[in-house]
Amino acid sequence: MNFSYLTRFEPVLLSLFRFITGLLLFQFGVAKLFKFPPLPMFAKVELMSLYGAAGTLELVLGALLILGLFTRLAAFILSGEMAFAYFMGHMLKGETPVFLPLLNNGTLAILFSPPCLYLSAAGGGPISVDAALGNERASTGGAFARR
């Protein structure tokens, strides 16, 4: 089957993908730092802790992803943070390493890392502040990028 007619939607779907990824990470930052919504797993998170640092990164860089500002840098840092969160916060949490994400509750951490790495390579898409400022290449910036 040939779905080549869908390629015209790629740039806009990239922007949508960036926005949703940023929004999901932003909500984790809000939950960790501002305790909203009140979740038992983030109830004791302090600002000057690893969870606090992760929450700050997710809040600030998630907001940048939502806007599409400094998308490549923000996404690259978030990809590394998610990989670090998986290995340090989930896989190596106990006395012995637990490799399976279903058993160590690391599914979300491991799931966010590749999309952020992809966004660091692909950019923010045509509906982003980066594209409006002309900071995206023509191939990823879409209609709003400088040619």
Side-chain angles (χ1 to χ4, degrees), residues 5-6 11 20 22 25-26 35 39 45 47 51 57 71 115 139-141:
Y5 64 92
L6 293 174
I20 297 299
L25 287 163
F26 182 81
K35 313 293 187 261
L39 299 170
V45 172
L47 186 59
Y51 277 107
L57 284 173
T71 302
S139 63
T140 61

Side-chain angles (χ1 to χ4, degrees), residues 71-126:
T71 302
R72 294 174 191 271
L73 178 62
F76 185 75
I77 294 169
L78 283 167
S79 177
E81 186 227 345
M82 290 293 106
F84 181 82
Y86 177 73
F87 288 110
M88 296 303 294
H90 296 280
M91 190 177 97
L92 301 175
K93 189 181 342 184
E95 297 157 3
T96 59
V98 179
F99 294 102
L100 294 174
L102 285 174
L103 298 178
N104 66 22
N105 294 325
T107 302
L108 285 176
I110 204 167
L111 191 61
F112 274 120
S113 189
C116 288
L117 190 60
Y118 171 73
L119 286 171
S120 72

